[in-house]
Amino acid sequence: MSIGNPKQALYEQFAQVGKAFGNAQRLELVEHLAQGARSVEALAAKLSLPVANVSQHLQAMRRAGLVTSERDGKFVNYRLADESVLAAFAALRAVAERHSAEVERVVRGYFDRRDDMEPVSRDELAARMDQGLVTVIDVRPPDEYALGHLPGAINVPLPDLEALADGFDEGREIVAYCRGPWCVMSFEAVARLRERGFTARRLEDGLPEWKAAGLAVEAGAS
């Protein structure tokens, strides 16, 4: 079959991929699937959305090649097609962070109030972990932690932080991380720990970016 204008045909397909990203709930699905494979029902619970709505989003994302699916008994599990999907999401985020006045307003109004310190880079954290200088806490829910986490990280879901913080060494720096660079849980964790007198910072991004950088990851419950 001949194609009259192959460049135009390619651009139309590129636009379909862009369209698949063009929904806030689908971007949130990308963030969740970057933690690991998930069923439609589990994702619906994470986003507090009807299963039918989440299924429609995932089908559109699958048609665009962003996700793949596999049946497991009566459930259908979805995962990101590959790491290029997370990279595309990161590129989209970077453009918005650099050029969107509304993004800047939200960052200044919410995130900067909770953490005005420079975040810890992946390389810095990896070095400090090797030297045994930090306590690393993963503030994601236990099911996400079990799919994969930084080596030696302690699972401290945000709702449990106040109770579990009593066991932390007050003289040791704490580094918190969660799903990604703008995951509010790590910001909230750092703010609460500082209120209690701990030295706390957050990782510059999250578990998916750590894993994509080729750094070690452990799986299993704590």
Side-chain angles (χ1 to χ4, degrees), residues 7-21:
K7 178 181 177 181
Q8 182 64 31
L10 285 174
Y11 278 20
E12 288 176 358
Q13 296 308 307
F14 297 159
Q16 289 301 312
V17 174
K19 184 178 179 180
F21 275 111

Side-chain angles (χ1 to χ4, degrees), residues 115 117-129 134 136 150 173 175-177 201-206 209-210 213 215:
D115 182 12
M117 291 180 64
E118 188 74 19
V120 181
S121 70
R122 290 188 296 270
D123 290 342
E124 180 186 354
L125 180 56
R128 291 175 68 79
M129 288 167 61
V134 294
V136 181
L150 273 61
E173 183 181 32
V175 176
Y177 75 91
R201 297 168 69 192
R202 63 181 178 83
L203 178 62
E204 63 183 349
D205 36 44
E209 292 80 9
W210 177 277
L215 296 168

Side-chain angles (χ1 to χ4, degrees), residues 85-163:
V85 179
L86 184 61
F89 180 28
L92 179 65
R93 189 176 61 226
V95 171
E97 290 167 358
R98 187 170 298 180
H99 300 295
S100 169
E102 182 61 17
V103 168
E104 183 179 5
R105 186 188 70 80
V106 173
V107 169
R108 287 184 176 178
Y110 180 87
F111 294 97
D112 284 354
R113 287 207 311 267
R114 285 158 178 77
D115 182 12
D116 56 0
M117 291 180 64
E118 188 74 19
V120 181
S121 70
R122 290 188 296 270
D123 290 342
E124 180 186 354
L125 180 56
R128 291 175 68 79
M129 288 167 61
D130 287 343
Q131 297 167 18
L133 299 177
V134 294
T135 297
V136 181
I137 63 171
D138 183 323
V139 297
R140 298 175 302 158
D143 62 319
E144 296 179 32
Y145 175 87
L147 289 173
H149 52 268
L150 273 61
I154 304 168
N155 190 205
V156 185
L158 190 61
D160 302 332
L161 179 63
E162 301 298 331

Side-chain angles (χ1 to χ4, degrees), residues 27-191:
L27 293 180
E28 194 168 0
L29 285 169
V30 170
E31 180 182 66
H32 280 288
L33 289 172
Q35 318 301 312
R38 278 284 187 259
S39 69
V40 180
E41 290 77 9
L43 290 166
K46 292 285 186 183
L47 272 65
S48 299
L49 290 173
V51 170
N53 289 19
V54 172
S55 180
Q56 290 175 358
H57 283 311
L58 290 168
Q59 289 171 28
M61 294 166 71
R62 184 175 59 183
R63 288 193 295 271
L66 301 184
V67 301
T68 60
S69 64
E70 183 178 48
R71 181 166 290 280
D72 181 14
K74 64 178 182 179
F75 297 104
V76 177
N77 292 328
Y78 283 82
R79 66 178 69 246
L80 294 185
D82 57 33
E83 291 182 0
S84 68
V85 179
L86 184 61
F89 180 28
L92 179 65
R93 189 176 61 226
V95 171
E97 290 167 358
R98 187 170 298 180
H99 300 295
S100 169
E102 182 61 17
V103 168
E104 183 179 5
R105 186 188 70 80
V106 173
V107 169
R108 287 184 176 178
Y110 180 87
F111 294 97
D112 284 354
R113 287 207 311 267
R114 285 158 178 77
D115 182 12
D116 56 0
M117 291 180 64
E118 188 74 19
V120 181
S121 70
R122 290 188 296 270
D123 290 342
E124 180 186 354
L125 180 56
R128 291 175 68 79
M129 288 167 61
D130 287 343
Q131 297 167 18
L133 299 177
V134 294
T135 297
V136 181
I137 63 171
D138 183 323
V139 297
R140 298 175 302 158
D143 62 319
E144 296 179 32
Y145 175 87
L147 289 173
H149 52 268
L150 273 61
I154 304 168
N155 190 205
V156 185
L158 190 61
D160 302 332
L161 179 63
E162 301 298 331
L164 295 176
D166 290 336
F168 295 158
D169 182 348
E170 293 185 2
R172 188 179 177 89
E173 183 181 32
I174 300 170
V175 176
Y177 75 91
C178 59
R179 294 171 182 148
W182 298 118
C183 177
V184 298
M185 292 185 291
S186 60
F187 285 84
E188 291 290 346
V190 167

